Amino acid sequence: MGRAIRWQAVIAALGIVLLAAILTTTAHQITTVETPDRGGVYREAVVGVPRNINPLFSFANDLDRDLTGLLFQGLVALNERGEPIPALAESWEISPDQSEYTFHLDRDARWHDGAPFTADDVIYTVGVLQSQEFAQAGQPASTYLSQLWSSVSAEKIDDATVRFSLQQPLASFLSETTIGVLPEHLWKDVPVGDMPLSMLNQQPVGTGPWRLVSIDARGARLEPNPYWTGPEPLLDAMEFQFYPDYASAFAAFQAGEVDGVSRILPQDLRAAQESDSMEVLSAPLANETLLFFNLTDPNVAFLAEKPVRQALWLALDVSSLLATAVNGQAIPADGPIMPGTWAYAAPPRPATDVQRAGELLTEAGWVDSDGDGVRDRGEQTLTFTLLGDDPLLLAALADQWKAIGVWAKPQEVSLVSLATDHLSQRDFQAAVTHWQLAGDPDPYPIWHSTQISNGQNYTGWSNRRADEIMEEGRSTTDEGRRIQLYTEFQRIFADELPALPLYFDVYNYGVSDAVRDVSVGRLNEPWERFRTADQWYMLPDDAPAGESQ
C-alpha cells in the first residue's frame, strides 16, 4: 500500500550516532562454519492473534502482516533498497508512454492446494480491490487501495499474461503490485462485503514459500510449500506461539518455550543483549517519525514563517532527544526519504545551534518583552499545542524549545484519535506523527499541494517547484531522472521544513544462538525479517551453540 500512519513508535538502547552509522550501511548477521542440517522447527513468540490472514485485509494487524508475507505473494516484491523485483511475475514491460504495464507470470507457480496460479487470479484480486464493497470495508487502507485500483484497467491477455492500463503515468505503480494475490477458485463465491468474516481468512491458501498447516488460539504452524519452485527451506516448520504482550513473549524465551521473539522492546533490550542464548539483530525499518506543522491555522500563523520553523529545527539536539525519549535505538532522520534507499539524497541535518536559533527568532521580531521566558511579537506569543502519542517524546521536545523562548504545550492523544480527530480534520497546531515509507519514495500523496484539502498533506504545505518535481517524478519510470528530481526535492524540503524529520525506527529481533544463518537487512515491513528464512537451520539439541561469526 502507499503511505499510511503507523502505530509503532518505541525502540531501544544507547549510542545513536554509532547505531545510525552501522545500520545505514549494513545489518547484523549471524553466520557460522557449521554444515547446515535439514530439519528442526523454529518457534517464535509473537504478540496478539491473527484476525484476517488475507493480504487485502491485513493492514491493521502486524501478526496478520507477518503471516500473509510468508503465505502470499504479489506480482512483484521489494528488495532492501525498496526496488521492485520479480515474484509472481517473472518479468514485465512498460509501454513507451508509461501508461501500460504488461506482466508475464510464473507458469510454474501453484497455490498451496496444488491448483495452478493463472492470470484469472490476478484479474479476480484486482476486481475485489476495485469494488465498492471493498472501499467500504472500514480499514484505513481500503479507501486508498480502492481509489488507486479503480483508475486501473486490468486485462487478461492469456493464462500467463496480464496487462494494466493506467489513466495517467504513475511511477510508483510497480510498488502497488506487491499486494498479495488471492486464489479465485476459493474466493469467487464469497461476496466482497462478506470477505472479512470468511473462514477462509483462517484457512489461507497462497503461493508463498510457506503454507499454514494448523492454527488455534495458542499458535500457528507453517511448513514449506511443496509446490514452491524457489530454494527449499532447511527447516521442517516454523511455529508462531501467541502471547498477549511483548513482556510475556520475552519471558517465554527466557523460559525456553520458544527460539525467538518477534520484537524486543526497550525494557527487555538490555536483558536480551546480556542473554547467553539470545542474539539480538537490529535493522532499520521504513517507519519515520516526523513533527508536522499546521501551516494554515491562523491561530498559529507564525508556524507558516520559515525562520520560526528553522529556529525550532536548529534548537533540537536530536541525539539527546532520542536517548531520552526512545532509549536511543533509532536513526536520526534528516529528510522525508529513508537512508539507504535508491532515492535518498538528503542534505546533512545541521548541527544543533541554540544561539543561531535564537538569533533567527529575534531577527523575525520575536523577543521576550515581558521576561516570562516566552517570546512574543505584539499581542502574540510563541506558544502552540503539540499533539502526539508518546508523552516522553512530547515532553523532551517541549523542554528543548524552552531554551529559545518557545512554549510547546504537550497533549497526549492516541494514534487513532490523532489520525481521525486531528490530522484528517486539520484540527491541530503541531503533531508528532509516524509514517510507513515502504515501497516507492513518491512524496506526492503527503506533500503535493493538491492533497491539502482531501489528501494526506496535513501540513498544508504548498511549494510550486516542489509540486513540479513531484508531478514529473511520478510520471517517469527513468530511475536516473527520478533520482535527480528527488535530490532537488529533498533540498527544498530541508530549506522549507514543512515538518521536522525526527527519526526512523529500528527493529530489534531476538533469536536463539542455536538458530543459524539468520540475517536481517533493511526492512520495508517487519515480516521481512523472514526474507532469508529458507537458509535458516537449527543446531541439534546436543550440539554446543559455540560462537557466532
Side-chain angles (χ1 to χ4, degrees):
M1 61 173 291
R3 305 298 186 265
I5 295 176
R6 293 286 294 177
W7 65 267
Q8 298 101 327
V10 206
I11 6 193
L14 297 174
I16 300 171
V17 175
L18 177 60
L19 178 68
I22 294 172
L23 291 177
T24 53
T25 57
T26 186
H28 182 72
Q29 290 192 347
I30 307 171
T31 58
T32 68
V33 295
E34 293 94 5
T35 301
D37 290 326
R38 289 195 176 275
V41 177
Y42 170 71
R43 304 163 301 164
E44 181 169 300
V46 296
V47 172
V49 294
R51 297 176 188 146
N52 285 293
I53 312 176
N54 180 324
L56 275 57
F57 297 95
S58 63
F59 296 105
N61 184 335
D62 274 1
L63 181 50
D64 287 343
R65 294 293 293 162
D66 283 350
L67 293 172
T68 56
L70 291 165
L71 301 172
F72 291 88
Q73 294 176 283
L75 293 177
V76 307
L78 298 177
N79 65 14
E80 293 181 14
R81 285 173 49 82
E83 299 165 323
I85 57 176
L88 283 174
E90 294 182 323
S91 63
W92 53 84
E93 293 133 16
I94 304 173
S95 65
D97 65 359
Q98 301 173 49
S99 66
E100 289 187 350
Y101 288 70
T102 302
F103 290 87
H104 302 284
L105 309 181
D106 181 355
R107 294 177 180 270
D108 296 325
R110 289 185 174 272
W111 296 99
H112 295 157
D113 61 3
F117 162 72
T118 72
D120 292 329
D121 300 307
V122 178
I123 299 300
Y124 166 77
T125 303
V126 172
V128 173
L129 293 168
Q130 293 175 332
S131 70
Q132 190 64 32
E133 293 85 354
F134 179 78
Q136 297 170 350
Q139 292 198 24
S142 300
T143 301
Y144 169 82
L145 288 170
S146 179
Q147 290 175 345
L148 170 75
W149 285 98
S150 292
S151 64
V152 177
S153 174
E155 175 187 6
K156 173 183 174 181
I157 305 303
D158 56 42
D159 281 349
T161 313
V162 293
R163 178 177 296 142
F164 297 123
S165 299
L166 283 57
Q167 293 179 359
Q168 57 187 14
L170 180 62
S172 63
F173 181 69
L174 281 176
S175 289
E176 304 297 346
T177 63
T178 58
I179 192 165
V181 177
L182 294 177
E184 182 202 27
H185 66 284
L186 296 179
W187 283 97
K188 62 183 179 182
D189 295 327
V190 179
V192 175
D194 295 339
M195 290 180 73
L197 302 177
S198 172
M199 286 302 297
L200 289 173
N201 294 315
Q202 297 299 312
Q203 303 165 350
V205 173
T207 59
W210 298 86
R211 64 187 179 109
L212 183 70
V213 296
S214 65
I215 186 170
D216 57 27
R218 296 173 299 173
R221 180 181 173 93
L222 278 60
E223 295 179 357
N225 173 7
Y227 303 102
W228 181 247
T229 58
E232 181 182 356
L234 298 174
L235 295 170
D236 285 337
M238 291 197 294
E239 292 182 351
F240 293 87
Q241 298 184 14
F242 307 152
Y243 292 88
D245 51 53
Y246 285 104
S248 301
F250 186 68
F253 180 89
Q254 292 176 311
E257 298 172 7
V258 295
D259 307 300
V261 181
S262 63
R263 191 163 194 169
I264 305 295
L265 291 188
Q267 58 266 35
D268 299 321
L269 188 61
R270 182 178 296 277
Q273 292 171 329
E274 293 176 350
S275 170
D276 292 333
S277 59
M278 175 179 278
E279 297 283 350
V280 178
L281 297 91
S282 300
L285 185 61
N287 293 339
E288 184 176 18
T289 294
L290 307 96
L291 190 149
F292 278 11
F293 296 114
N294 189 337
L295 307 182
T296 62
D297 185 346
N299 295 314
V300 285
F302 54 82
L303 292 177
E305 301 175 20
K306 185 166 71 172
V308 172
R309 301 194 301 274
Q310 290 175 327
L312 293 171
W313 182 233
L314 283 173
L316 289 184
D317 181 344
V318 175
S319 295
S320 173
L321 181 78
L322 298 186
T324 300
V326 291
N327 296 288
Q329 190 73 172
I331 300 173
D334 47 19
I337 295 178
M338 187 177 185
T341 56
W342 62 267
Y344 173 75
R349 63 182 305 127
T352 303
D353 192 338
V354 175
Q355 179 177 341
R356 179 54 186 155
E359 291 171 353
L360 283 172
L361 293 176
T362 300
E363 292 167 4
W366 294 98
V367 296
D368 183 6
S369 63
D370 55 9
D372 65 353
V374 181
R375 292 177 182 261
D376 54 77
R377 188 175 64 188
E379 298 297 319
Q380 195 168 29
T381 59
L382 270 180
T383 303
F384 57 89
T385 300
L386 178 61
L387 303 180
D389 69 308
D390 185 341
L392 284 177
L393 182 58
L394 298 180
L397 286 164
D399 187 62
Q400 290 196 5
W401 284 329
K402 286 180 182 178
I404 58 170
V406 175
W407 182 21
K409 297 180 290 186
Q411 180 179 330
E412 184 181 359
V413 295
S414 70
L415 281 181
V416 172
S417 177
L418 180 64
T420 59
D421 301 329
H422 298 282
L423 293 178
S424 63
Q425 304 300 319
R426 275 58 176 178
D427 183 17
F428 73 100
Q429 295 179 348
V432 175
T433 64
H434 313 293
W435 289 84
Q436 183 185 55
L437 299 181
D440 192 273
D442 178 14
Y444 187 103
I446 305 175
W447 301 115
H448 196 275
S449 63
T450 58
Q451 305 303 300
I452 291 175
S453 297
N454 299 311
Q456 298 180 72
N457 184 349
Y458 300 126
T459 67
W461 183 49
S462 178
N463 180 286
R464 182 174 179 179
R465 177 54 188 159
D467 278 355
E468 293 171 348
I469 290 170
M470 288 183 277
E471 290 161 10
E472 184 180 350
R474 66 171 8 205
S475 64
T476 178
T477 56
D478 181 341
E479 185 173 299
R481 177 56 180 159
R482 296 186 79 199
I483 289 173
Q484 292 176 341
L485 291 166
Y486 292 153
T487 297
E488 183 180 355
F489 174 81
Q490 289 167 85
R491 287 199 298 264
I492 294 172
F493 189 96
D495 177 60
E496 288 281 318
L497 292 172
L500 302 186
L502 297 180
Y503 63 88
F504 285 94
D505 285 1
V506 167
Y507 190 87
N508 291 304
Y509 179 42
V511 297
S512 166
D513 56 11
V515 186
R516 298 302 195 170
D517 274 7
V518 180
S519 64
V520 178
R522 290 184 182 88
L523 303 177
N524 297 295
E525 297 186 58
W527 76 263
E528 291 182 348
R529 65 187 183 274
F530 300 113
R531 187 185 279 128
T532 63
D534 61 294
Q535 302 170 22
W536 299 4
Y537 65 99
M538 307 287 293
L539 288 184
D541 291 339
D542 58 351
E547 294 293 329
S548 61
Q549 299 177 4

